[in-house]
Amino acid sequence: TRAFSLFSSPLEYGIFCSFCGALGVALLKHHRASGLLLLAASGFACYTTLTRLCYLLFACACVYALILTFGKKPRRGLWQPALFFVLGIATILAGLNSLAQGNPSGLQDVSSLLDRIEEWTYGYQLLGQASLSHQLFGMGITQNAKFTDMPMLIDNAPLALSLHIGLIGLILFTIYFVSVWLYLRREAIAKQQPFIIAAASLWSTLLCAGTFNIIFSSFGAVFVLAVLCRTERK
């Protein structure tokens, strides 16, 4: 049984726990006791989701919050999102290597990985056989099974965006992601406000999360809250 609290799924609950964990790290600088308590509570809550992606996001978000909070260099935290993405890819490759060697015991449940491999293979083949206009502007295929003719869902954000709004849409979304993340990072470094640091830390994990699932709404909600909590610089 995977915990999901008041959220619609354990994954969304785990994203919230990752945000809270990053917030706990950001609080350590001036409120150590409160920060440690929040970090420990959110870490335990994340564990109850029994979702491996949530564990990965929690660790990455806390590391990024640590860099933004205690780092001194103005350019700190610029390369971490790319490193987190590589970590996500490496996790998949490690799972594939375990399957290839016939030792899947360390993966606990291999069905999720096998399903994703099948989904990615089918999606890439479909995109490769599409016309140029469909490749550039998409085929309108969505994640929701009620509005698609695909025999399976796609748990891969780049592939899902390419099938839905095409390569041009994927490029525009990437520009949007980079712009939002750079804005949150700039605000976090300039103001050192814990909530903004937590928001920037969560957004730094989007590329990593996108290799396993499609969870844009949760990240969008955090960005909106960060904008609403924005204060003018003194």
Side-chain angles (χ1 to χ4, degrees):
T1 300
R2 300 194 297 170
F4 57 91
S5 185
L6 300 177
F7 296 83
S8 61
S9 69
L11 178 60
E12 292 183 356
Y13 180 40
I15 294 174
F16 174 73
C17 294
S18 301
F19 173 80
C20 292
L23 182 60
V25 173
L27 288 171
L28 290 177
K29 191 171 185 179
H30 299 292
H31 307 280
R32 181 165 298 181
S34 300
L36 287 174
L37 181 60
L38 179 58
L39 180 60
S42 57
F44 176 76
C46 184
Y47 172 76
T48 63
T49 65
L50 301 181
T51 304
R52 288 166 289 189
L53 176 56
C54 294
Y55 301 161
L56 188 61
L57 296 185
F58 185 89
C60 292
C62 290
V63 168
Y64 198 80
L66 192 67
I67 293 172
L68 291 183
T69 303
F70 296 99
K72 301 298 183 182
K73 296 181 179 180
R75 296 179 62 83
R76 64 186 182 272
L78 280 176
W79 297 104
Q80 270 65 32
L83 294 178
F84 295 158
F85 175 71
V86 172
L87 178 61
I89 297 297
T91 302
I92 297 174
L93 294 178
L96 292 176
N97 184 58
S98 297
L99 289 176
Q101 294 180 356
N103 182 29
S105 58
L107 298 176
Q108 294 181 352
D109 181 13
V110 299
S111 61
S112 176
L113 179 60
L114 294 176
D115 289 341
R116 281 181 167 84
I117 295 173
E118 185 179 1
E119 293 164 6
W120 298 341
T121 302
Y122 182 86
Y124 282 121
Q125 290 177 348
L126 184 64
L127 190 62
Q129 298 171 358
S131 63
L132 179 60
S133 60
H134 281 158
Q135 291 177 344
L136 293 177
F137 301 103
M139 293 176 279
I141 296 176
T142 65
Q143 169 78 353
N144 195 326
K146 297 179 181 179
F147 305 105
T148 179
D149 295 329
M150 291 187 65
M152 62 187 70
L153 298 178
I154 301 296
D155 284 334
N156 179 331
L159 178 58
L161 287 170
S162 300
L163 291 172
H164 188 201
I165 54 179
L167 297 178
I168 292 179
L170 176 62
I171 293 173
L172 292 176
F173 177 85
T174 303
I175 295 174
Y176 165 76
F177 157 73
V178 173
S179 300
V180 171
W181 165 67
L182 287 177
Y183 165 78
L184 291 174
R185 174 188 169 275
R186 183 172 61 251
E187 291 292 312
I189 292 177
K191 299 178 181 179
Q192 287 294 294
Q193 184 179 356
F195 191 93
I196 305 299
I197 291 176
S201 301
L202 184 66
W203 266 80
S204 71
T205 67
L206 180 56
L207 288 179
C208 178
T211 60
F212 297 95
N213 218 303
I214 306 172
I215 44 180
F216 299 138
S217 58
S218 300
F219 286 79
V222 169
F223 174 60
V224 170
L225 290 175
V227 172
L228 293 175
C229 293
R230 182 179 182 272
T231 58
E232 295 296 331
R233 300 178 184 176
K234 296 182 180 179

